[in-house]
Amino acid sequence: MKKRILASMLAGAMALSMAACSGGKSAESSAPESQAPAGESSAPAEEGGAEATGALSGDLLIWSWDVALNFLSEVSETFMEQNPDLNIQCEEMGTDQVYNKLTTSLASGSGLPDLVTIEGEQMPKFANKFPDSFVDLTERINKDDWLPIKLAEATDSRGKIVAYPWDAAPCMMFYRRDFYENAGVNPEEIKTWDQFIEAGKKITAANEGVAMVPLATSRRDHIYRIMLMQQNKFYFDDAGNSCMDTPESIGAMEMTKKIYDAGITVNDTSWDDYVTSIKEGKVASVPDGIWMAGTIKDLSPEDSGKWGVMDMPQYSESTTGEASNGGSVLAIPASTQNVEAAIAFAEYTLTDLENVSKGLEVALYPSYVPAFELDDFNATDDYFGGQNVLGMFKDIGGRIPQVNYTENFAEAYETNKNAVAKVLLENADVTTTMQDVQKEFVTKFGK
Protein backbone atom coordinates (compact mmCIF):
# COMPACT_ATOMS: atom_id res chain seq x y z
CA MET A 1 0.00 0.00 0.00
CA LYS A 2 1.27 3.41 -0.87
CA LYS A 3 2.93 5.20 2.05
CA ARG A 4 1.88 8.77 2.53
CA ILE A 5 3.72 11.11 4.88
CA LEU A 6 2.64 14.73 4.89
CA ALA A 7 5.11 16.40 7.24
CA SER A 8 7.15 19.58 7.17
CA MET A 9 8.98 21.71 9.71
CA LEU A 10 7.24 24.76 11.14
CA ALA A 11 9.23 27.93 10.66
CA GLY A 12 10.91 29.55 13.67
CA ALA A 13 11.65 28.33 17.15
CA MET A 14 8.70 26.94 19.09
CA ALA A 15 8.47 25.37 22.48
CA LEU A 16 9.16 21.96 21.04
CA SER A 17 11.69 23.11 18.44
CA MET A 18 14.93 21.72 19.75
CA ALA A 19 18.29 20.48 18.72
CA ALA A 20 20.09 17.38 19.96
CA CYS A 21 20.95 17.36 23.66
CA SER A 22 22.73 14.03 23.81
CA GLY A 23 26.01 12.70 22.55
CA GLY A 24 27.15 9.21 21.74
CA LYS A 25 29.15 8.19 24.80
CA SER A 26 28.38 4.87 26.44
CA ALA A 27 28.51 3.95 30.10
CA GLU A 28 26.46 1.99 32.55
CA SER A 29 23.60 3.87 34.18
CA SER A 30 20.47 3.20 36.13
CA ALA A 31 17.32 5.12 36.97
CA PRO A 32 17.19 6.73 40.41
CA GLU A 33 15.28 4.81 43.07
CA SER A 34 12.34 7.18 42.81
CA GLN A 35 12.01 6.25 39.15
CA ALA A 36 12.90 2.57 39.22
CA PRO A 37 10.12 0.38 37.83
CA ALA A 38 8.38 -1.81 40.36
CA GLY A 39 6.90 -4.88 38.78
CA GLU A 40 7.00 -6.26 35.29
CA SER A 41 6.74 -3.81 32.42
CA SER A 42 4.39 -4.37 29.54
CA ALA A 43 7.40 -3.44 27.36
CA PRO A 44 10.53 -4.10 29.47
CA ALA A 45 13.73 -2.24 28.69
CA GLU A 46 15.76 -5.39 28.20
CA GLU A 47 13.44 -6.44 25.39
CA GLY A 48 13.69 -3.09 23.65
CA GLY A 49 10.05 -2.07 24.13
CA ALA A 50 7.06 -2.87 21.94
CA GLU A 51 7.69 -4.63 18.64
CA ALA A 52 5.75 -4.44 15.40
CA THR A 53 4.05 -7.71 14.49
CA GLY A 54 4.04 -7.40 10.73
CA ALA A 55 0.35 -8.33 10.67
CA LEU A 56 -1.18 -4.88 11.00
CA SER A 57 -3.11 -3.37 8.13
CA GLY A 58 -5.41 -0.48 7.27
CA ASP A 59 -4.93 3.26 7.71
CA LEU A 60 -3.82 5.54 10.55
CA LEU A 61 -4.10 9.34 10.58
CA ILE A 62 -2.01 11.31 13.08
CA TRP A 63 -2.32 14.98 14.04
CA SER A 64 0.79 16.60 15.49
CA TRP A 65 3.19 19.54 15.18
CA ASP A 66 6.79 20.57 14.78
CA VAL A 67 9.53 18.27 16.19
CA ALA A 68 6.97 15.79 17.49
CA LEU A 69 5.40 15.54 14.04
CA ASN A 70 8.71 14.92 12.32
CA PHE A 71 9.70 12.31 14.86
CA LEU A 72 6.37 10.50 14.42
CA SER A 73 6.85 10.63 10.67
CA GLU A 74 10.31 9.10 10.92
CA VAL A 75 9.14 6.32 13.24
CA SER A 76 6.12 5.62 11.06
CA GLU A 77 8.39 4.90 8.08
CA THR A 78 10.07 2.05 9.97
CA PHE A 79 6.78 0.83 11.39
CA MET A 80 5.24 0.64 7.92
CA GLU A 81 8.25 -1.28 6.64
CA GLN A 82 7.56 -3.83 9.35
CA ASN A 83 3.83 -3.74 8.56
CA PRO A 84 3.65 -3.31 4.76
CA ASP A 85 -0.16 -3.45 4.71
CA LEU A 86 -0.42 -0.47 7.08
CA ASN A 87 -0.62 3.10 5.76
CA ILE A 88 0.21 6.00 8.11
CA GLN A 89 -0.45 9.63 7.29
CA CYS A 90 0.93 12.39 9.52
CA GLU A 91 -0.89 15.72 9.21
CA GLU A 92 0.83 18.89 10.39
CA MET A 93 -1.05 21.44 12.48
CA GLY A 94 -0.15 24.09 15.02
CA THR A 95 -1.33 23.56 18.60
CA ASP A 96 -4.24 25.99 18.30
CA GLN A 97 -5.36 24.35 15.09
CA VAL A 98 -5.21 20.90 16.69
CA TYR A 99 -7.25 22.00 19.67
CA ASN A 100 -9.86 23.86 17.66
CA LYS A 101 -10.33 20.99 15.24
CA LEU A 102 -10.24 18.43 18.04
CA THR A 103 -12.95 20.26 19.99
CA THR A 104 -15.22 20.47 16.94
CA SER A 105 -14.63 16.86 15.96
CA LEU A 106 -15.13 15.49 19.48
CA ALA A 107 -18.39 17.42 19.77
CA SER A 108 -19.68 16.04 16.47
CA GLY A 109 -18.12 12.61 16.80
CA SER A 110 -16.66 12.74 13.30
CA GLY A 111 -13.52 13.89 11.52
CA LEU A 112 -11.15 12.64 14.18
CA PRO A 113 -7.66 11.20 13.63
CA ASP A 114 -6.48 7.84 14.93
CA LEU A 115 -3.77 9.39 17.11
CA VAL A 116 -3.24 12.97 18.25
CA THR A 117 -0.54 14.85 20.13
CA ILE A 118 -1.92 16.95 23.00
CA GLU A 119 0.00 19.06 25.50
CA GLY A 120 -0.09 17.29 28.83
CA GLU A 121 -1.70 20.12 30.73
CA GLN A 122 -4.46 20.30 28.09
CA MET A 123 -5.30 16.59 28.07
CA PRO A 124 -7.54 16.57 31.19
CA LYS A 125 -9.71 19.27 29.63
CA PHE A 126 -10.49 17.15 26.59
CA ALA A 127 -10.73 13.89 28.54
CA ASN A 128 -13.21 15.25 31.06
CA LYS A 129 -15.23 17.47 28.74
CA PHE A 130 -15.65 14.56 26.32
CA PRO A 131 -15.75 11.42 28.51
CA ASP A 132 -15.26 8.09 26.76
CA SER A 133 -14.01 9.87 23.64
CA PHE A 134 -10.51 8.42 24.00
CA VAL A 135 -9.42 4.79 24.17
CA ASP A 136 -9.15 3.56 27.77
CA LEU A 137 -5.53 2.43 28.20
CA THR A 138 -5.72 1.64 31.91
CA GLU A 139 -5.16 -2.09 31.40
CA ARG A 140 -2.44 -1.53 28.78
CA ILE A 141 -0.19 0.70 30.86
CA ASN A 142 1.93 -0.34 33.83
CA LYS A 143 1.89 2.76 36.02
CA ASP A 144 5.32 2.00 37.45
CA ASP A 145 6.85 2.41 33.99
CA TRP A 146 5.94 6.09 33.62
CA LEU A 147 6.87 9.32 35.40
CA PRO A 148 4.17 10.24 37.94
CA ILE A 149 3.75 13.81 36.66
CA LYS A 150 3.09 12.61 33.11
CA LEU A 151 0.83 9.77 34.19
CA ALA A 152 -1.30 12.31 36.03
CA GLU A 153 -1.67 14.34 32.84
CA ALA A 154 -2.87 11.26 30.99
CA THR A 155 -5.48 10.29 33.60
CA ASP A 156 -9.08 11.55 33.63
CA SER A 157 -11.21 12.47 36.64
CA ARG A 158 -12.47 8.88 36.89
CA GLY A 159 -8.95 7.52 37.21
CA LYS A 160 -8.85 6.10 33.69
CA ILE A 161 -5.62 6.42 31.71
CA VAL A 162 -6.74 7.90 28.40
CA ALA A 163 -3.43 8.71 26.70
CA TYR A 164 0.16 7.55 26.52
CA PRO A 165 2.53 9.83 28.43
CA TRP A 166 5.15 11.13 26.02
CA ASP A 167 7.74 13.86 26.41
CA ALA A 168 8.25 15.25 29.88
CA ALA A 169 9.60 18.70 30.78
CA PRO A 170 11.45 18.74 34.12
CA CYS A 171 12.70 22.22 34.89
CA MET A 172 16.19 23.48 35.61
CA MET A 173 17.93 26.84 35.30
CA PHE A 174 19.86 27.60 32.11
CA TYR A 175 22.44 30.32 32.65
CA ARG A 176 25.13 32.29 30.81
CA ARG A 177 28.49 31.33 32.28
CA ASP A 178 30.16 34.53 31.03
CA PHE A 179 27.61 36.86 32.62
CA TYR A 180 27.85 35.05 35.95
CA GLU A 181 31.67 35.07 35.83
CA ASN A 182 31.75 38.81 35.05
CA ALA A 183 29.89 39.41 38.30
CA GLY A 184 31.90 36.91 40.32
CA VAL A 185 28.78 34.82 40.99
CA ASN A 186 29.12 31.07 41.54
CA PRO A 187 25.90 29.39 40.36
CA GLU A 188 26.48 26.46 42.70
CA GLU A 189 26.06 28.79 45.65
CA ILE A 190 22.54 29.83 44.61
CA LYS A 191 20.23 27.56 46.57
CA THR A 192 17.10 29.69 47.05
CA TRP A 193 15.14 32.27 45.09
CA ASP A 194 16.19 34.92 47.62
CA GLN A 195 19.82 34.14 46.82
CA PHE A 196 18.94 34.20 43.13
CA ILE A 197 17.61 37.74 43.55
CA GLU A 198 20.79 38.92 45.29
CA ALA A 199 22.93 37.29 42.61
CA GLY A 200 20.75 38.97 39.99
CA LYS A 201 21.52 42.40 41.37
CA LYS A 202 25.25 41.73 41.01
CA ILE A 203 24.90 40.27 37.51
CA THR A 204 22.77 43.08 36.13
CA ALA A 205 25.21 45.63 37.60
CA ALA A 206 28.22 43.89 36.06
CA ASN A 207 26.73 43.26 32.61
CA GLU A 208 25.30 46.32 30.86
CA GLY A 209 21.94 45.73 29.20
CA VAL A 210 21.54 42.26 30.71
CA ALA A 211 18.61 41.24 32.93
CA MET A 212 18.87 38.35 35.35
CA VAL A 213 15.73 36.60 34.11
CA PRO A 214 12.76 37.05 31.75
CA LEU A 215 9.51 37.45 33.69
CA ALA A 216 6.11 37.81 32.10
CA THR A 217 4.04 40.54 33.71
CA SER A 218 0.79 39.40 32.11
CA ARG A 219 1.44 36.67 29.49
CA ARG A 220 2.00 33.66 31.73
CA ASP A 221 2.66 32.61 35.33
CA HIS A 222 5.30 29.91 34.89
CA ILE A 223 7.75 31.17 37.55
CA TYR A 224 4.88 31.30 40.06
CA ARG A 225 3.90 27.73 39.11
CA ILE A 226 7.49 26.51 39.41
CA MET A 227 7.58 27.80 42.98
CA LEU A 228 4.16 26.34 43.71
CA MET A 229 5.19 22.89 42.50
CA GLN A 230 8.42 23.13 44.50
CA GLN A 231 6.14 23.25 47.55
CA ASN A 232 4.20 20.20 46.28
CA LYS A 233 1.13 22.33 45.55
CA PHE A 234 -0.86 23.38 42.50
CA TYR A 235 -3.99 25.30 41.44
CA PHE A 236 -6.11 22.33 42.54
CA ASP A 237 -5.73 19.54 45.08
CA ASP A 238 -6.23 15.84 44.40
CA ALA A 239 -9.99 16.22 44.78
CA GLY A 240 -10.15 19.13 42.33
CA ASN A 241 -10.68 21.78 45.02
CA SER A 242 -9.29 25.24 44.24
CA CYS A 243 -6.17 26.11 46.24
CA MET A 244 -5.28 29.64 45.24
CA ASP A 245 -5.40 31.29 48.67
CA THR A 246 -3.19 28.78 50.47
CA PRO A 247 0.00 29.94 52.21
CA GLU A 248 2.01 28.21 49.47
CA SER A 249 0.18 29.98 46.66
CA ILE A 250 0.36 33.38 48.34
CA GLY A 251 4.04 32.80 49.08
CA ALA A 252 4.82 31.87 45.47
CA MET A 253 3.12 35.04 44.21
CA GLU A 254 4.92 37.16 46.81
CA MET A 255 8.28 35.74 45.69
CA THR A 256 7.39 36.41 42.05
CA LYS A 257 6.69 40.04 42.97
CA LYS A 258 9.94 40.18 44.93
CA ILE A 259 11.89 39.15 41.83
CA TYR A 260 10.06 41.78 39.76
CA ASP A 261 10.51 44.55 42.33
CA ALA A 262 14.26 43.85 42.48
CA GLY A 263 14.58 45.35 38.99
CA ILE A 264 16.41 42.35 37.56
CA THR A 265 13.86 41.20 34.97
CA VAL A 266 12.96 41.82 31.35
CA ASN A 267 9.29 41.60 30.38
CA ASP A 268 8.35 38.39 28.58
CA THR A 269 5.55 39.85 26.44
CA SER A 270 5.43 37.11 23.79
CA TRP A 271 7.16 33.93 22.71
CA ASP A 272 9.12 35.97 20.16
CA ASP A 273 10.27 38.40 22.85
CA TYR A 274 11.21 35.49 25.08
CA VAL A 275 13.47 33.80 22.55
CA THR A 276 14.84 37.11 21.23
CA SER A 277 16.04 38.06 24.71
CA ILE A 278 17.89 34.75 24.83
CA LYS A 279 19.34 34.96 21.32
CA GLU A 280 20.53 38.54 21.75
CA GLY A 281 22.18 37.90 25.11
CA LYS A 282 19.80 40.09 27.10
CA VAL A 283 19.20 37.58 29.90
CA ALA A 284 21.60 35.74 32.16
CA SER A 285 19.23 33.02 33.35
CA VAL A 286 16.29 31.09 31.90
CA PRO A 287 14.17 28.86 34.18
CA ASP A 288 12.32 26.34 32.02
CA GLY A 289 11.83 22.74 30.92
CA ILE A 290 14.46 20.55 29.29
CA TRP A 291 13.13 21.39 25.83
CA MET A 292 14.73 24.82 26.29
CA ALA A 293 18.14 23.20 25.84
CA GLY A 294 17.35 22.54 22.21
CA THR A 295 15.73 25.92 21.71
CA ILE A 296 18.82 27.72 23.03
CA LYS A 297 21.05 25.71 20.70
CA ASP A 298 18.84 26.50 17.73
CA LEU A 299 18.75 30.20 18.60
CA SER A 300 22.45 30.72 19.30
CA PRO A 301 24.77 28.05 17.91
CA GLU A 302 27.58 30.59 18.11
CA ASP A 303 27.25 30.69 21.91
CA SER A 304 28.39 27.11 22.41
CA GLY A 305 30.28 26.83 25.69
CA LYS A 306 28.79 30.03 27.10
CA TRP A 307 25.71 28.32 28.52
CA GLY A 308 25.42 26.07 31.54
CA VAL A 309 22.69 24.31 33.48
CA MET A 310 22.20 24.49 37.23
CA ASP A 311 19.64 23.36 39.77
CA MET A 312 16.50 25.46 40.00
CA PRO A 313 16.61 27.71 43.08
CA GLN A 314 14.28 26.44 45.77
CA TYR A 315 11.37 28.44 47.13
CA SER A 316 13.03 28.37 50.55
CA GLU A 317 15.78 26.56 52.45
CA SER A 318 13.22 24.06 53.70
CA THR A 319 11.84 23.02 50.28
CA THR A 320 13.38 20.39 48.01
CA GLY A 321 10.71 20.11 45.32
CA GLU A 322 10.94 20.01 41.54
CA ALA A 323 8.75 21.36 38.76
CA SER A 324 7.86 20.83 35.11
CA ASN A 325 6.75 23.10 32.29
CA GLY A 326 5.49 21.62 29.04
CA GLY A 327 5.55 18.26 27.34
CA SER A 328 2.81 16.24 25.67
CA VAL A 329 0.86 12.99 25.52
CA LEU A 330 -0.25 10.78 22.63
CA ALA A 331 -3.98 10.03 22.68
CA ILE A 332 -6.13 7.67 20.61
CA PRO A 333 -9.69 8.88 19.91
CA ALA A 334 -12.24 6.14 20.62
CA SER A 335 -13.71 6.66 17.16
CA THR A 336 -10.71 5.04 15.49
CA GLN A 337 -11.51 2.09 13.25
CA ASN A 338 -8.02 0.68 13.77
CA VAL A 339 -7.53 0.65 17.54
CA GLU A 340 -5.04 -2.23 17.70
CA ALA A 341 -2.80 -0.67 15.08
CA ALA A 342 -3.00 2.70 16.84
CA ILE A 343 -2.04 1.15 20.17
CA ALA A 344 0.75 -0.88 18.61
CA PHE A 345 2.17 2.21 16.89
CA ALA A 346 1.99 4.29 20.10
CA GLU A 347 3.76 1.62 22.11
CA TYR A 348 6.39 1.10 19.42
CA THR A 349 7.02 4.85 19.29
CA LEU A 350 7.20 5.51 23.02
CA THR A 351 8.59 2.31 24.55
CA ASP A 352 10.95 0.90 21.94
CA LEU A 353 14.30 2.02 23.35
CA GLU A 354 15.87 2.61 19.95
CA ASN A 355 13.04 4.99 19.13
CA VAL A 356 13.30 6.68 22.53
CA SER A 357 17.01 7.23 21.89
CA LYS A 358 16.21 8.84 18.53
CA GLY A 359 13.72 11.09 20.29
CA LEU A 360 16.38 12.20 22.75
CA GLU A 361 18.46 13.41 19.83
CA VAL A 362 15.81 16.09 19.28
CA ALA A 363 15.27 16.63 23.04
CA LEU A 364 12.05 14.61 23.34
CA TYR A 365 12.68 13.70 26.96
CA PRO A 366 10.90 10.41 27.72
CA SER A 367 8.25 9.68 30.31
CA TYR A 368 9.01 5.96 30.00
CA VAL A 369 11.10 5.08 33.06
CA PRO A 370 12.97 2.04 31.64
CA ALA A 371 14.44 4.42 29.06
CA PHE A 372 16.56 5.99 31.79
CA GLU A 373 18.86 2.98 31.44
CA LEU A 374 19.94 4.28 28.02
CA ASP A 375 23.55 5.34 27.54
CA ASP A 376 22.26 8.68 26.25
CA PHE A 377 21.83 9.78 29.86
CA ASN A 378 25.58 9.53 30.44
CA ALA A 379 26.59 11.71 27.50
CA THR A 380 28.26 15.07 27.95
CA ASP A 381 27.17 18.11 25.98
CA ASP A 382 29.86 20.39 24.58
CA TYR A 383 27.38 23.22 24.00
CA PHE A 384 26.75 23.36 27.74
CA GLY A 385 30.39 23.27 28.71
CA GLY A 386 30.71 19.50 28.83
CA GLN A 387 27.94 19.02 31.37
CA ASN A 388 25.89 15.82 31.45
CA VAL A 389 22.66 17.72 30.86
CA LEU A 390 20.42 14.72 30.24
CA GLY A 391 21.74 13.02 33.35
CA MET A 392 20.95 16.09 35.44
CA PHE A 393 17.38 16.13 34.17
CA LYS A 394 17.04 12.38 34.67
CA ASP A 395 17.81 12.78 38.35
CA ILE A 396 14.96 15.23 38.92
CA GLY A 397 12.31 13.77 36.59
CA GLY A 398 10.93 11.24 39.07
CA ARG A 399 10.80 13.77 41.89
CA ILE A 400 8.31 16.06 40.18
CA PRO A 401 5.01 15.76 42.09
CA GLN A 402 1.79 14.65 40.46
CA VAL A 403 -0.61 17.51 39.95
CA ASN A 404 -4.32 17.55 39.21
CA TYR A 405 -4.78 19.83 36.21
CA THR A 406 -8.55 19.11 36.00
CA GLU A 407 -10.65 20.06 33.01
CA ASN A 408 -10.51 23.67 34.25
CA PHE A 409 -6.78 24.25 33.89
CA ALA A 410 -6.92 26.41 30.75
CA GLU A 411 -9.48 28.81 32.24
CA ALA A 412 -7.74 28.82 35.61
CA TYR A 413 -4.45 29.65 33.90
CA GLU A 414 -5.97 32.68 32.18
CA THR A 415 -7.42 33.90 35.46
CA ASN A 416 -4.13 33.59 37.29
CA LYS A 417 -2.24 35.40 34.52
CA ASN A 418 -4.52 38.34 35.23
CA ALA A 419 -3.64 38.06 38.90
CA VAL A 420 0.08 38.24 38.04
CA ALA A 421 -0.56 41.43 36.07
CA LYS A 422 -2.49 43.00 38.96
CA VAL A 423 0.24 42.19 41.46
CA LEU A 424 3.20 43.23 39.31
CA LEU A 425 1.81 46.12 37.28
CA GLU A 426 -0.79 47.56 39.65
CA ASN A 427 1.01 46.72 42.90
CA ALA A 428 -2.11 44.99 44.19
CA ASP A 429 -1.93 43.34 47.59
CA VAL A 430 -0.90 39.73 47.06
CA THR A 431 -3.03 38.14 49.77
CA THR A 432 -6.17 40.01 48.75
CA THR A 433 -5.54 39.25 45.07
CA MET A 434 -5.11 35.53 45.66
CA GLN A 435 -8.18 35.43 47.90
CA ASP A 436 -10.12 37.02 45.05
CA VAL A 437 -8.73 34.44 42.61
CA GLN A 438 -9.85 31.69 44.97
CA LYS A 439 -13.37 33.10 45.09
CA GLU A 440 -13.45 33.37 41.30
CA PHE A 441 -12.30 29.76 40.93
CA VAL A 442 -14.95 28.50 43.30
CA THR A 443 -17.64 30.49 41.49
CA LYS A 444 -16.52 29.26 38.07
CA PHE A 445 -15.64 25.70 38.89
CA GLY A 446 -17.92 24.89 41.80
CA LYS A 447 -15.23 24.10 44.36
Side-chain angles (χ1 to χ4, degrees):
M1 186 174 291
K2 184 180 179 181
K3 302 171 185 177
R4 294 171 293 162
I5 300 296
L6 305 179
S8 61
M9 289 295 289
L10 290 176
M14 295 179 65
L16 283 173
S17 181
M18 346 169 172
C21 291
S22 59
K25 295 190 176 181
S26 297
E28 292 183 2
S29 72
S30 60
E33 290 184 6
S34 62
Q35 297 174 337
E40 185 177 352
S41 165
S42 59
E46 61 269 22
E47 295 181 5
E51 295 182 1
T53 65
L56 299 170
S57 62
D59 300 311
L60 291 177
L61 173 63
I62 304 172
W63 291 351
S64 190
W65 56 78
D66 201 53
V67 168
L69 172 92
N70 286 274
F71 176 70
L72 290 168
S73 297
E74 180 182 355
V75 172
S76 69
E77 291 279 7
T78 304
F79 196 68
M80 287 190 293
E81 289 175 3
Q82 297 173 0
N83 297 273
D85 292 327
L86 183 67
N87 180 48
I88 302 176
Q89 177 179 323
C90 296
E91 185 173 348
E92 181 180 33
M93 301 182 189
T95 53
D96 289 343
Q97 187 181 3
V98 167
Y99 298 150
N100 291 336
K101 195 169 182 179
L102 188 61
T103 299
T104 301
S105 297
L106 287 171
S108 67
S110 62
L112 288 159
D114 298 285
L115 299 104
V116 57
T117 301
I118 301 174
E119 290 169 303
E121 61 194 25
Q122 298 291 337
M123 185 64 206
K125 176 182 69 175
F126 290 105
N128 294 315
K129 184 175 181 180
F130 301 99
D132 302 317
S133 291
F134 297 95
V135 172
D136 184 355
L137 301 168
T138 308
E139 300 302 319
R140 299 287 307 223
I141 288 180
N142 177 7
K143 293 182 179 180
D144 295 313
D145 282 346
W146 304 88
L147 292 178
I149 179 64
K150 297 302 294 184
L151 197 62
E153 294 172 1
T155 303
D156 70 11
S157 59
R158 300 169 297 180
K160 293 183 178 182
I161 302 173
V162 291
Y164 282 97
W166 190 1
D167 61 305
C171 288
M172 293 191 79
M173 184 72 74
F174 300 89
Y175 72 96
R176 280 285 295 261
R177 296 176 184 272
D178 49 344
F179 294 156
Y180 274 60
E181 290 170 1
N182 290 344
V185 172
N186 182 354
E188 294 182 0
E189 295 178 354
I190 301 175
K191 304 299 183 183
T192 67
W193 285 103
D194 279 320
Q195 292 170 347
F196 180 80
I197 291 170
E198 293 307 309
K201 294 176 181 178
K202 295 178 182 178
I203 288 172
T204 54
N207 297 277
E208 185 177 356
V210 175
M212 182 60 166
V213 64
L215 174 63
T217 57
S218 59
R219 186 174 78 90
R220 57 180 182 158
D221 69 350
H222 94 287
I223 290 182
Y224 158 88
R225 279 190 290 128
I226 285 172
M227 295 178 191
L228 197 58
M229 293 180 74
Q230 286 179 327
Q231 301 173 84
N232 200 26
K233 299 293 181 181
F234 197 65
Y235 293 170
F236 310 101
D237 64 17
D238 291 342
N241 297 306
S242 301
C243 299
M244 300 304 288
D245 62 349
T246 63
E248 293 84 1
S249 176
I250 292 171
M253 190 64 77
E254 287 177 339
M255 186 64 74
T256 302
K257 178 174 172 53
K258 191 172 182 179
I259 293 172
Y260 178 76
D261 287 347
I264 60 173
T265 68
V266 60
N267 190 15
D268 170 11
T269 59
S270 67
W271 170 255
D272 287 342
D273 280 349
Y274 186 46
V275 296
T276 297
S277 68
I278 296 169
K279 179 177 177 60
E280 295 182 355
K282 295 180 179 179
V283 291
S285 317
V286 182
D288 226 320
I290 185 172
W291 50 264
M292 180 52 71
T295 299
I296 289 173
K297 288 180 177 181
D298 282 348
L299 290 169
S300 306
E302 70 278 6
D303 288 331
S304 178
K306 293 183 179 180
W307 284 91
V309 183
M310 68 185 198
D311 290 334
M312 191 72 72
Q314 288 291 320
Y315 172 74
S316 70
E317 294 181 0
S318 63
T319 57
T320 57
E322 308 292 354
S324 67
N325 185 45
S328 60
V329 300
L330 190 60
I332 303 173
S335 60
T336 179
Q337 299 299 303
N338 208 349
V339 63
E340 289 304 320
I343 288 175
F345 176 74
E347 292 182 349
Y348 175 70
T349 301
L350 304 181
T351 68
D352 180 271
L353 297 189
E354 184 175 345
N355 288 330
V356 174
S357 182
K358 290 178 181 177
L360 280 167
E361 292 176 1
V362 289
L364 291 172
Y365 180 92
S367 300
Y368 185 58
V369 173
F372 296 134
E373 301 284 352
L374 287 167
D375 290 335
D376 302 68
F377 286 95
N378 296 292
T380 56
D381 192 321
D382 291 340
Y383 187 94
F384 290 100
Q387 286 182 283
N388 176 12
V389 176
L390 282 177
M392 295 171 68
F393 278 97
K394 181 188 79 170
D395 290 340
I396 69 173
R399 300 200 300 267
I400 301 171
Q402 289 194 36
V403 299
N404 185 11
Y405 285 99
T406 81
E407 67 271 27
N408 300 314
F409 172 78
E411 189 172 359
Y413 177 57
E414 292 298 321
T415 300
N416 201 51
K417 288 195 305 183
N418 294 335
V420 171
K422 288 183 65 176
V423 168
L424 301 187
L425 300 178
E426 299 176 17
N427 202 32
D429 179 75
V430 172
T431 299
T432 301
T433 299
M434 300 316 291
Q435 288 173 342
D436 289 343
V437 171
Q438 173 71 9
K439 293 175 183 176
E440 187 171 352
F441 276 26
V442 171
T443 299
K444 288 181 176 179
F445 311 136
K447 56 183 178 178

